[in-house]
């Protein structure tokens, strides 16, 4: 008995095969039995904060800058990487060094209507190139959402939130820029790459 598959049946089989592979990849099925050895994700890491690179991957022993904010907040900038695509990604950690839960000030969003429309973010951040006398604002996607960490409101005592912010890249002959975020002290950082 010969089996003939129609084009529709072949597509269906391909979709089922791809779905099965995805489920195996996502659930980690396939043996190993190392479930007890996997690190547990923290509650802060499990919240959806948008697309972001891992600050831990870029973290150096010494941060590029430590900027103090209100009520015990500290922003540690651990990297500022230039990309070939013409932008700079600033990564860091927003920490609560106080003894109480801190509501992150709404001022960090800035005051641009388009950014405010998309909720809590670090959309008020800027890079200032003193050499060329230019200020660079946070990039936005085609829907106007800022390309930065989003969806946070408060930070527990001792908690740290990995954050990122993307800007248009200043010229390569201006590696030192001033990072500014409302309610925080400003600081000079060096862009690598």
């Amino acid at each position: 008995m010969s089996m003939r598959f129609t084009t529709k049946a072949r597509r269906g089989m391909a979709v089922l095969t791809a779905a099965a592979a995805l489920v195996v990849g996502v659930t980690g099925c396939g043996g190993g039995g190392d479930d007890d050895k996997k690190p547990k994700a923290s509650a802060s890491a499990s919240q959806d904060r948008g697309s972001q690179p891992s600050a831990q991957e870029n973290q150096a022993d010494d941060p590029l800058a430590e900027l103090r904010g209100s009520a015990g907040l500290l922003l540690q900038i651990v990297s500022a990487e230039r990309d070939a695509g013409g932008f700079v990604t600033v990564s860091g950690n927003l920490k609560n060094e106080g003894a109480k839960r801190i509501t992150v000030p709404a001022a960090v969003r800035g005051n641009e209507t388009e950014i405010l429309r998309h909720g809590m973010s670090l959309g008020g951040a800027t890079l200032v190139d003193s050499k060329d006398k230019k200020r660079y604002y946070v990039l936005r996607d085609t829907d106007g959402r800022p390309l930065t960490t989003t969806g946070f409101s408060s930070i527990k005592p001792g908690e740290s939130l990995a954050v990122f912010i993307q800007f248009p890249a200043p010229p390569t002959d201006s590696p030192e820029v001033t990072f500014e975020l409302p309610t925080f002290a400003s600081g000079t950082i060096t862009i690598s790459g």
Side-chain angles (χ1 to χ4, degrees):
M1 178 171 162
S2 77
M3 293 187 107
R4 287 178 130 187
F5 287 109
T6 64
T7 303
K8 188 174 182 180
R10 278 193 292 256
R11 286 184 192 144
M13 293 293 287
V15 168
L16 285 174
T17 303
L22 181 62
V23 169
V24 169
V26 170
T27 61
C29 293
D34 291 331
D35 289 338
D36 294 336
K37 296 179 184 176
K38 291 181 183 175
K40 304 288 182 197
S42 70
S44 64
S46 65
Q47 294 177 353
D48 179 23
R49 294 200 174 89
S51 168
Q52 62 186 22
S54 170
Q56 287 181 330
E57 291 174 4
N58 300 325
Q59 192 168 7
D61 294 332
D62 296 320
L64 297 177
E66 289 191 339
L67 313 176
R68 297 254 172 226
S70 60
L73 285 174
L74 174 69
L75 176 61
Q76 289 183 316
I77 298 175
V78 297
S79 70
E81 301 282 332
R82 184 181 304 273
D83 184 271
F87 60 88
V88 169
T89 301
V90 175
S91 300
N93 298 298
L94 184 59
K95 295 182 176 185
N96 176 354
E97 292 192 320
K100 296 180 182 177
R101 177 183 287 268
I102 296 175
T103 299
V104 179
V108 299
R109 297 184 303 173
N111 57 11
E112 292 184 44
T113 306
E114 189 66 30
I115 288 180
L116 293 175
R117 215 176 286 170
H118 296 287
M120 193 59 171
S121 72
L122 299 176
T126 59
L127 292 181
V128 178
D129 176 2
S130 299
K131 180 181 175 202
D132 290 331
K133 297 178 176 53
K134 290 187 178 180
R135 180 178 299 270
Y136 297 89
Y137 294 89
V138 176
L139 290 170
R140 292 162 192 86
D141 68 13
T142 55
D143 292 325
R145 288 185 297 264
L147 298 182
T148 179
T149 305
T150 61
F152 56 91
S153 60
S154 63
I155 303 177
K156 296 176 188 174
E159 185 179 46
S160 180
L161 169 67
V163 296
F164 81 100
I165 309 163
Q166 290 186 325
F167 300 94
T172 54
D173 64 347
S174 296
E176 282 196 355
V177 293
T178 302
F179 178 88
E180 296 179 349
L181 181 65
T183 76
F184 283 80
S186 58
T188 302
I189 60 173
T190 302
I191 299 171
S192 62

